[in-house]
Amino acid sequence: MLAGIDTHKDTLAVAVIDLAGRSVLVTELANTEAGFDALEELVKEHSVARVGIEGSGNYGRGAAIRLVLVGGLEVVEVPPSLTARERSGRPGAGKTDPGDAVAIARLTARETGLPPVRLAVGQAADLRALADYRAQLVAERTALASRTHAELHGLLPGYQDRVPRLTAPTFIAAATDLLAGDTSVRATLTRRRLVRLAELTAEIQEVHGLITDAVQQVKTGLTDLYGLGPVSAATILGEVADIRRYRSRHAFAAANGTAPIPASSGRTSRHRLNRSGNRQLNRVLYTMAITQIRADTEGRAYYLRKRAEGKTGREALRCLKRRLSDVVYRTLHEDLATTAPPVMTG
């Protein structure tokens, strides 16, 4: 038997299917310790050999940990994008939690390359938490800076000559000076926004220092790669958890969305952008590729060779991202060979 679990804050939709994909049981359990007890009994009662969970790193983390601790049970992670595609193959059925659980179970049965659930502990969990927190701060600052720029433009047309951006303390201070003496409500509120921007900028710098220190303790070769700084390295280590979750470099590329998707037709042979996979990892690899293209690096030479072969700029960039995925995969395995792995899976 196989099972699929669609996780939510309060509930777990659970489906058990047979090897032919027919539903044997569809039920809903509480996302609590009592619900985990019932889930453990359910998988034992139905002799479930493999369980797929959507959201094992978020609302499904507790259930995933419990199932891993059961032992003798393969617990894999099912990406939401796969579930959505599976659901779209049932026109007219609509979206329901039980239906998603059945879709996840069928994907678990059919997709043999799904990675084991990511149960990062210790350093990996800390790195992921730090990277996520910094990303939230940066997103908040970006939104607030955009609103503040709009207000400054209304209050002080032409201000941008002295304040081109609001992500540095000197420019924030310059914007504050420009508003000196203006007692209007809009100016007062804009000054409040500038104070908050200064606070966010200071906190981002502080968290960056924490990330740098944490990455140094891991002693990874990722930071030796051109285009990967401490924050990018922390994102990779936190998202991957344990590179042994991926059976090959191709599986890793599929998981991070750098493996291109065939889109050939007739005499035309081409590939298109893969929008699935872990988007955090994909973004890091994109930034790494852009950084290498802008400098005299092996990555730039590879990119130019692909352009010379007739590929467009976007196609050549995708090729480089795929190549860099292999480099990261190899580096993480080298880390394992030289030191104890910084993470564990359940």
Side-chain angles (χ1 to χ4, degrees):
M1 295 289 183
L2 304 109
I5 304 177
D6 186 28
T7 63
H8 300 277
K9 185 176 182 179
D10 299 317
T11 60
L12 302 170
V14 183
V16 177
I17 64 172
D18 60 20
L19 295 178
R22 294 170 297 202
S23 297
V24 175
L25 172 71
V26 180
T27 187
E28 188 174 84
L29 303 174
N31 196 351
T32 62
E33 288 295 334
F36 302 158
D37 291 339
L39 178 62
E40 183 176 344
E41 291 299 319
L42 184 151
V43 297
K44 288 180 179 178
E45 178 184 350
H46 292 276
S47 300
V48 173
R50 194 172 196 239
V51 180
I53 301 181
E54 182 182 293
S56 64
N58 296 300
Y59 290 135
R61 178 175 171 78
I65 291 175
R66 174 63 69 87
L67 291 173
V68 169
L69 293 176
V70 168
L73 182 65
E74 186 181 5
V75 188
V76 298
E77 189 172 330
V78 178
S81 57
L82 284 184
T83 307
R85 276 201 291 267
E86 182 74 12
R87 185 172 57 244
S88 66
R90 298 179 286 113
K95 183 186 185 310
T96 64
D97 295 343
D100 283 352
V102 173
I104 293 168
R106 289 173 177 163
L107 286 166
T108 302
R110 186 173 69 244
E111 302 293 335
T112 58
L114 294 172
V117 293
R118 174 187 54 205
L119 300 181
V121 297
Q123 289 174 318
D126 292 344
L127 288 170
R128 187 183 184 202
L130 285 167
D132 285 349
Y133 185 65
R134 181 187 178 278
Q136 291 168 7
L137 291 175
V138 171
E140 182 181 351
R141 184 179 67 175
T142 300
L144 184 59
S146 296
R147 178 60 188 270
T148 306
H149 275 299
E151 291 295 335
L152 285 170
H153 191 274
L155 292 166
L156 301 164
Y159 80 98
Q160 60 271 19
D161 293 336
R162 292 182 57 185
V163 187
R165 55 191 176 88
L166 291 172
T167 54
T170 53
F171 291 133
I172 295 174
T176 303
D177 291 341
L178 289 175
L179 292 172
D182 190 338
T183 60
S184 66
V185 171
R186 289 180 63 188
T188 300
L189 293 177
T190 302
R191 278 192 289 268
R192 286 176 176 266
R193 292 190 175 98
L194 290 170
V195 169
R196 179 57 182 154
L197 281 171
E199 293 172 349
L200 287 169
T201 298
E203 189 171 6
I204 289 170
Q205 293 174 344
E206 180 183 356
V207 175
H208 187 278
L210 294 175
I211 291 174
T212 301
D213 292 342
V215 170
Q216 288 176 348
Q217 293 176 13
V218 174
K219 293 180 173 52
T220 175
L222 289 174
T223 50
D224 296 330
L225 302 177
Y226 195 94
L228 280 187
V231 173
S232 295
T235 301
I236 292 173
L237 292 169
E239 293 295 329
V240 171
D242 190 335
I243 193 60
R244 292 169 296 186
R245 297 169 59 224
Y246 306 96
R247 68 187 186 281
S248 68
R249 61 188 178 91
H250 305 295
F252 181 61
N256 61 44
T258 57
I261 299 175
S264 302
S265 178
R267 296 180 178 179
T268 302
S269 179
R270 61 181 296 272
H271 292 77
R272 68 173 177 83
L273 176 65
N274 185 349
R275 298 187 183 277
S276 62
N278 187 305
R279 304 320 295 172
Q280 286 77 22
L281 289 176
N282 193 279
R283 184 174 63 250
V284 168
L285 291 168
Y286 173 83
T287 303
M288 185 181 180
I290 293 296
T291 304
Q292 291 201 5
I293 289 172
R294 291 174 178 172
D296 184 14
T297 63
E298 290 183 9
R300 176 179 173 81
Y302 178 83
Y303 172 83
L304 293 176
R305 286 200 303 272
K306 291 299 178 181
R307 290 302 310 272
E309 293 172 5
K311 294 187 180 297
T312 65
R314 288 184 178 182
E315 289 172 340
L317 177 60
R318 292 170 196 162
C319 291
L320 178 56
K321 285 172 61 180
R322 175 65 179 83
R323 184 183 181 90
L324 293 176
S325 172
D326 289 349
V327 172
V328 169
Y329 179 84
R330 183 172 63 250
T331 302
L332 290 174
H333 271 285
E334 290 171 353
D335 288 347
L336 286 177
T338 57
T339 183
V343 295
M344 295 173 58
T345 55

